[in-house]
Amino acid sequence: MKTYLKKYAKYFDYPLFFTYILLCLFGLVMIYSASMFWAVNTLHYSPDHFYKKQMMNLFIAIFAFLIGLIIPYKRYRENGMMKLILAGMLFLLFAVFVVGFSPGNSGAKSWIDLGVVNIQPSELTKLGMILYFAAFFTKKKELGKIDIINESIVPPLFVFGIAVFFISLEPDLGAIGLITIIVLSVMAASGMKFSTFGKIVGCLIGLATAGLIALFIFRDSFFTERRVGRLKAYLDPFKDANEYGYQMVNGYYAIGSGGVKGLGLGQSIQKMGYLPEPQTDFILAIISEELGTFGIAIVLFGLGFIVYKAMRLAIKAKDPLARMIAAGIGSWIGIQTFINVGGLSGLIPLTGVPLPFISYGGTSIILLSLAMGILANVSMIVKKDNQQS
């Protein structure tokens, strides 16, 4: 291990690492600021309740980062590792229906209580799909079978279909959409022919169509009052500002109040009981209110820089496994940021997707940190290999 670290340490991507750390620390500060009133007046906790819990999550996350950094990324293509990832991912998705629970008023049974920490298997599925698809297509590419439909498409699509089926039963449509885009990004970076990729997209469109037909058939059970209300709130939040549009409207007030300079750190008005759980999906609204455009720029520039580094790495990597892992992680962070910001701004419907590295939540920060460690490992090895070639 010492020889391995000494061999690759000088190729460590410090800009990527420091951007990740700064985003995590910035998120920690903003979670403290955003959650104080909610913790004391609504939940009757201490003012620093969520801050302390997120700090504990962050310690675990740093450990996860180191694990991802230390394990050579080429290990993920080994049969044993592939089977472990696949079995763990599918087992946890199934376990949700046996021991899972629905937090708060989310309406989705998507969490598992492990005692020390709660985990959300759909979050684990995002990283699991990246590693599994990347390893699978790397093996097929080496055998010259990446463009053979029955051998390179059916097995991974079958796994994808099982995962989507489990997540749809929770249900978590936001996670399904995000995982689908991640999978397509990995496959797009695999080097397969455009015609083969088109057939895969066609298969996914077919699955989506079948899902929509199923939703139409069982519309009475799926389109509950809560889901219909959220859709109406997306179309016109001010029409139902006291109920389903309440969160979006107060998010708009927070963004509008901040302006360019912001009201000052800790000075948010909307977090004083107006914006529910402001430390989670709507934390960017509090950042905008307190730090203005400058605060938004810090977050979006940092996340954009990580996505840029990941995609640039995917372009430069000669190893298909490295290319697909980097593309998958980059698309994960980029699309999840878009979904969060898009929901907050009213561009797309709200889906309950956290803002990467910023929103409160253990599963998200830990798994994203593990992904960042893997990305840093890919970066080190690719840099060394490119310099020696």
Side-chain angles (χ1 to χ4, degrees):
M1 182 60 68
K2 288 183 179 179
T3 305
Y4 167 76
L5 293 175
K6 188 180 295 185
K7 183 179 179 181
Y8 290 104
K10 65 178 180 179
Y11 300 101
F12 185 69
D13 195 331
Y14 289 100
L16 181 69
F17 173 71
F18 285 125
T19 302
Y20 151 70
I21 289 296
L22 287 174
L23 282 173
C24 290
L25 293 177
F26 181 77
L28 190 62
V29 171
M30 293 312 305
I31 285 169
Y32 180 62
S33 176
S35 67
M36 287 188 295
F37 187 90
W38 182 262
V40 173
N41 289 274
T42 305
L43 303 175
H44 307 295
Y45 294 148
S46 63
D48 59 354
H49 172 78
F50 290 103
Y51 169 78
K52 286 182 176 179
K53 291 195 70 174
Q54 187 69 359
M55 183 176 288
M56 184 183 301
N57 292 332
L58 195 53
F59 281 129
I60 300 173
I62 295 297
F63 180 69
F65 175 88
L66 293 175
I67 291 175
L69 177 67
I70 291 171
I71 299 175
Y73 78 86
K74 294 183 181 181
R75 290 284 307 276
Y76 297 110
R77 68 183 298 280
E78 296 176 0
N79 288 331
M81 185 69 82
M82 287 178 64
K83 291 177 181 177
L84 180 63
I85 292 170
L86 196 58
M89 179 179 69
L90 295 178
F91 173 77
L92 289 174
L93 286 174
F94 174 77
V96 165
F97 303 102
V98 181
V99 296
F101 69 95
S102 175
N105 61 350
S106 69
K109 188 177 180 181
S110 55
W111 292 80
I112 296 176
D113 185 359
L114 297 182
V116 179
V117 66
N118 298 330
I119 65 167
Q120 192 174 13
S122 60
E123 286 290 317
L124 179 64
T125 303
K126 297 170 187 176
L127 182 57
M129 283 293 180
I130 292 171
L131 298 178
Y132 170 70
F133 270 71
F136 187 92
F137 282 115
T138 297
K139 286 178 172 289
K140 292 302 177 184
K141 189 174 181 63
E142 290 173 351
L143 296 172
K145 296 180 179 180
I146 196 169
D147 292 307
I148 300 176
I149 300 299
N150 64 335
E151 292 193 35
S152 66
I153 294 180
V154 175
L157 277 188
F158 180 71
V159 171
F160 171 78
I162 293 175
V164 166
F165 173 73
F166 282 138
I167 297 172
S168 67
L169 294 179
E170 296 179 6
D172 190 344
L173 299 184
I176 291 174
L178 182 54
I179 291 168
T180 301
I181 297 173
I182 290 171
V183 165
L184 287 173
S185 300
V186 173
M187 290 191 291
S190 67
M192 66 175 58
K193 293 177 182 177
F194 182 77
S195 59
T196 306
F197 181 71
K199 291 174 182 177
I200 295 175
V201 173
C203 290
L204 293 178
I205 291 175
L207 288 172
T209 303
L212 290 174
I213 293 173
L215 287 181
F216 178 77
I217 294 173
F218 300 102
R219 58 187 180 278
D220 292 337
S221 59
F222 180 81
F223 288 105
T224 60
E225 181 183 350
R226 182 174 179 272
R227 293 194 180 100
V228 172
R230 290 183 66 175
L231 182 59
K232 289 180 178 179
Y234 161 67
L235 297 173
D236 188 358
F238 289 92
K239 191 174 182 179
D240 192 17
N242 292 323
E243 193 170 352
Y244 292 109
Y246 184 81
Q247 192 174 29
M248 286 191 67
V249 168
N250 282 282
Y252 289 159
Y253 288 155
I255 296 171
S257 300
V260 176
K261 296 182 180 179
L263 303 179
L265 184 62
Q267 301 304 310
S268 167
I269 296 172
Q270 294 305 310
K271 70 182 181 183
M272 300 296 183
Y274 298 103
L275 187 60
E277 298 187 76
Q279 72 277 6
T280 56
D281 309 335
F282 269 69
I283 194 168
L284 193 62
I286 303 301
I287 293 173
S288 177
E289 186 179 13
E290 295 190 349
L291 302 178
T293 305
F294 176 72
I296 296 258
I298 291 175
V299 175
L300 296 186
F301 178 81
L303 291 169
F305 179 75
I306 290 175
V307 173
Y308 163 76
K309 292 284 285 186
M311 293 306 180
R312 187 167 179 265
L313 180 59
I315 292 171
K316 293 176 65 177
K318 298 175 182 178
D319 181 4
L321 180 62
R323 183 169 63 246
M324 285 184 274
I325 290 176
I329 293 174
S331 67
W332 173 11
I333 296 171
I335 298 300
Q336 185 159 319
T337 300
F338 170 78
I339 292 175
N340 178 273
V341 176
L344 176 68
S345 62
L347 184 63
I348 59 175
L350 289 174
T351 56
V353 171
L355 186 63
F357 308 112
I358 306 295
S359 293
Y360 171 80
T363 305
S364 178
I365 190 70
I366 291 169
L367 288 172
L368 282 168
S369 295
L370 177 58
M372 287 299 296
I374 294 171
L375 186 64
N377 181 269
V378 171
S379 178
M380 287 193 306
I381 297 176
V382 167
K383 281 184 182 178
K384 181 179 182 299
D385 292 345
N386 287 348
Q387 285 190 13
Q388 291 182 346
S389 60

